[in-house]
Amino acid sequence: MVAHQGVHNHQKPTCICIIWFCLLVTLPHHGRASFPSSSASSFNLSLPHQHPFPERVVLNVQRKLNDSLSRRQLLTYQQDDDTTASSPIPSCITGNPIDDCWRCDPNWSENRQRLADCSIGFGQGTLGGKGGRFYLVTDSSDNDAANPVPGTLRHAVIQPEPLWIIFSGDMGITLRHELIIGSFKTIDGRGTNVQITGHGCLTIQQVSHVIIHNVHIHHCKPSGNTLVASSPTHVGFRGVSDGDGISVSASHHIWVDHCSLGYCSDGLIDVILASTAVTISNNYFHHHDEVMLLGHDDRYTADSGMQVTIAFNHFGEGLVQRMPRCRHGYIHVVNNDFTAWEMYAIGGSANPTINSQGNRYTAPIDPNAKEVTKRVEANEKHWGKWNWRTEGDFMVNGAFFVPSGDGVSPAYARATSLQAKTADVIDQLTVNAGVFGDPSGRNGQGRGFPGITGGGGTVTRGYSKGGPGGGGSDDGLFTMIFGSNSSAAAAAAALRPGQVWSILFTIILLWYFQHHRR
């Protein structure tokens, strides 16, 4: 009996170890099986900062939008009820989830970094200069691209630390060469009228966490074949630039919000060379041919990991095409107002996924330019498999969207709360598109808001010591994907679900052995 008990105790750990090994092997497969089959292919990630489940990002944008619209609607009902009405609906509440996040704070100018908590879509989690010092731009000159003067915008953007860059007053900055922006920078033009023009304009290359907010960018021309500083310790030779308004290449977590762009030599915004986690929102685009390019080249397959959210923008007068033109990746076009185009609005050429939701497309008078979409240099045999989807879009003046791939099948359309928006709702969501207070913005109705010169704190040459800090955080499910600047969130992000299960099983096994020894 004793010998038998010894053999039995010896076999127990062996059996448990075998079971433990099997669980470890099968965990990844169970993890994958728990997600919808439509997202299975997204595990084939080509970029490290690509979101593995883009449909979840889309649904989160819809949730935030519906929450904001519901809040506004609730206040509207209260105004209709004499027993509950107390004051008019604040003009800051538009139903736009980005603007509603910060504009109703009467002390927004003392809490500027709250803006970093308000991004949505694939660029959600973009920090910009959050947590860093304030840099006050006091000098509008740009005389030496290789050795910028302290107090200038060029000197600010090349510093190695996180910075929240603000302006001492209205400024017209004429760049001599492209402005190379470093990681963890916010250019915040709120409360001032900042015009950036000249040669090269804004270059965001091989960096991360950059926010461009509330500035005019226009009449950008090619430049180059010169020395340009990209940091306080590095000056390099730059070739000829294209003359884009904003050029984003090999970068991630980029957010362009409430800017006004037009009249540039090449694109207004180009996102290329494996850039991802980008949100382009609340901007006003005008007077340009090739507006926006997403993707470097049809043969550059690394761009298949590109993910871009295009939301609440006003594509205004004088535009021709590329709003955007996509090559690869997943592009979410949501609640924008396309008031006109000459050739087409949305184009693509190398099997991009385009998810168009809740936009208003107003076709031009030309009967040959009514189609919203254009497949560039591709026949139907090939583009018929591309996933182009329209849901809840509002078509005006004969505009029509040609879906393809899974977008044609009703089974692909999931049961979401996104419905076609009435014209007044689209107007409300995009009423402030462009630079705040700009009379040339959304139908000339851009509203101003109380602003101050500077950002608080004791200002020295270039830098602001002290000043307002950042607001709270609402990372949600994006914390693990997009990261956070807190050590606790970083620790949580380091643990994947499979690792958590492994730790739990290890604890259970240790407890079992300790309490079953004889």
Side-chain angles (χ1 to χ4, degrees):
M1 185 68 180
V2 176
H4 173 74
Q5 183 68 35
V7 172
H8 180 72
N9 286 338
H10 176 71
Q11 290 177 340
K12 256 186 188 176
T14 303
C15 294
I16 293 174
C17 287
I18 293 173
I19 296 173
W20 168 234
F21 176 79
C22 293
L23 285 170
L24 285 177
V25 172
T26 57
L27 267 175
H29 300 285
H30 288 297
R32 294 190 182 190
S34 64
F35 298 107
S37 59
S38 62
S39 297
S41 61
S42 61
F43 272 94
N44 185 21
L45 305 181
S46 61
L47 299 175
H49 298 279
Q50 175 185 351
H51 197 291
F53 303 106
E55 289 290 336
R56 291 187 179 182
V57 180
V58 170
L59 291 174
N60 193 61
V61 170
Q62 295 175 11
R63 179 184 62 80
K64 287 179 178 289
L65 172 62
N66 288 327
D67 288 348
S68 291
L69 289 174
S70 296
R71 282 193 295 270
R72 177 176 171 79
Q73 190 173 31
L74 179 61
L75 289 173
T76 301
Y77 288 151
Q78 289 177 348
Q79 298 307 306
D80 294 338
D81 186 350
D82 293 336
T83 62
T84 59
S86 58
S87 61
I89 300 174
S91 60
C92 60
I93 299 179
T94 63
N96 183 314
I98 296 174
D99 293 349
D100 292 356
C101 174
W102 66 271
R103 286 193 67 223
C104 285
D105 180 1
N107 298 315
W108 67 265
S109 59
E110 297 299 322
N111 190 20
R112 285 178 176 267
Q113 294 190 8
R114 166 65 178 165
L115 177 68
D117 301 324
C118 300
S119 58
I120 65 170
F122 291 113
Q124 179 167 337
T126 301
L127 298 175
K130 183 179 180 181
R133 295 190 292 171
F134 283 77
Y135 189 113
L136 183 64
V137 176
T138 59
D139 186 345
S140 63
S141 69
D142 186 44
N143 297 323
D144 191 345
N147 186 27
V149 176
T152 61
L153 178 58
R154 187 177 296 277
H155 184 267
V157 297
I158 66 171
Q159 300 306 308
E161 62 182 296
L163 290 176
W164 200 277
I165 302 166
I166 56 179
F167 299 85
S168 62
D170 296 349
M171 286 189 186
I173 300 174
T174 302
L175 298 171
R176 292 176 63 89
H177 298 286
E178 58 183 322
L179 187 75
I180 302 177
I181 302 172
S183 293
F184 295 98
K185 301 292 184 294
T186 296
I187 297 177
D188 181 0
R190 286 176 293 177
T192 58
N193 180 4
V194 178
Q195 309 268 341
I196 300 176
T197 185
H199 294 84
C201 286
L202 277 59
T203 295
I204 302 171
Q205 181 177 0
Q206 295 181 333
V207 296
S208 63
H209 293 280
V210 175
I211 299 174
I212 311 296
H213 183 79
N214 211 66
V215 294
H216 296 266
I217 302 169
H218 57 90
H219 292 93
C220 299
K221 303 175 183 178
S223 71
N225 290 329
T226 189
L227 296 175
V228 179
S230 58
S231 77
T233 59
H234 181 267
V235 176
F237 181 82
R238 302 289 295 183
V240 178
S241 66
D242 294 330
D244 296 326
I246 301 176
S247 175
V248 181
S249 63
S251 300
H252 63 88
H253 290 93
I254 309 299
W255 183 25
V256 181
D257 186 57
H258 274 296
C259 293
S260 177
L261 301 101
Y263 296 108
C264 292
S265 297
D266 194 29
L268 295 182
I269 298 180
D270 281 10
V271 182
I272 60 172
L273 292 174
S275 296
T276 194
V278 176
T279 291
I280 299 169
S281 57
N282 294 309
N283 301 289
Y284 175 59
F285 301 97
H286 61 96
H287 297 100
H288 199 76
D289 181 2
E290 298 175 341
V291 178
M292 189 185 307
L293 175 65
L294 306 180
H296 173 61
D297 185 275
D298 287 359
R299 295 164 296 182
Y300 192 77
T301 56
D303 278 338
S304 61
M306 179 179 292
Q307 296 174 331
V308 181
T309 298
I310 301 172
F312 317 129
N313 301 285
H314 177 204
F315 293 89
E317 60 180 324
L319 301 180
V320 179
Q321 59 180 318
R322 296 190 177 186
M323 300 171 242
R325 184 216 200 270
C326 320
R327 298 187 186 276
H328 299 277
Y330 190 109
I331 315 301
H332 187 205
V333 184
V334 56
N335 295 133
N336 301 278
D337 191 8
F338 298 79
T339 54
W341 59 83
E342 290 187 23
M343 293 176 61
Y344 65 89
I346 298 176
S349 59
N351 192 18
T353 294
I354 297 176
N355 190 354
S356 174
Q357 296 184 305
N359 302 282
R360 179 168 60 188
Y361 295 105
T362 303
I365 298 175
D366 184 354
N368 298 316
K370 300 291 186 181
E371 183 178 347
V372 172
T373 52
K374 178 179 177 62
R375 278 75 173 180
V376 182
E377 298 179 357
N379 56 49
E380 188 171 356
K381 179 181 178 181
H382 293 94
W383 65 253
K385 300 177 182 178
W386 301 353
N387 291 330
W388 290 25
R389 169 188 178 188
T390 174
E391 179 187 10
D393 289 324
F394 193 69
M395 302 294 176
V396 182
N397 198 30
F400 64 97
F401 187 111
V402 178
S404 57
D406 290 339
V408 177
S409 172
Y412 182 77
R414 299 184 177 183
T416 68
S417 55
L418 185 73
Q419 302 295 330
K421 306 301 181 187
T422 59
D424 60 324
V425 173
I426 295 294
D427 287 340
Q428 195 64 42
L429 292 173
T430 61
V431 66
N432 292 311
V435 172
F436 283 107
D438 177 19
S440 67
R442 173 76 177 88
N443 293 329
Q445 299 173 3
R447 293 180 184 170
F449 54 90
I452 62 168
T453 300
T458 303
V459 179
T460 58
R461 187 179 186 184
Y463 290 105
S464 169
K465 296 180 180 178
S473 178
D474 185 21
D475 292 329
L477 71 94
F478 295 89
T479 302
M480 187 170 293
I481 300 298
F482 293 120
S484 171
N485 61 339
S486 67
S487 58
L495 293 176
R496 297 179 178 178
Q499 293 172 313
V500 173
W501 280 108
S502 299
I503 293 171
L504 290 175
F505 276 120
T506 302
I507 294 172
I508 293 171
L509 285 174
L510 290 173
W511 177 87
Y512 180 86
F513 288 136
Q514 289 176 355
H515 291 79
H516 290 77
R517 289 179 179 175
R518 300 219 177 184

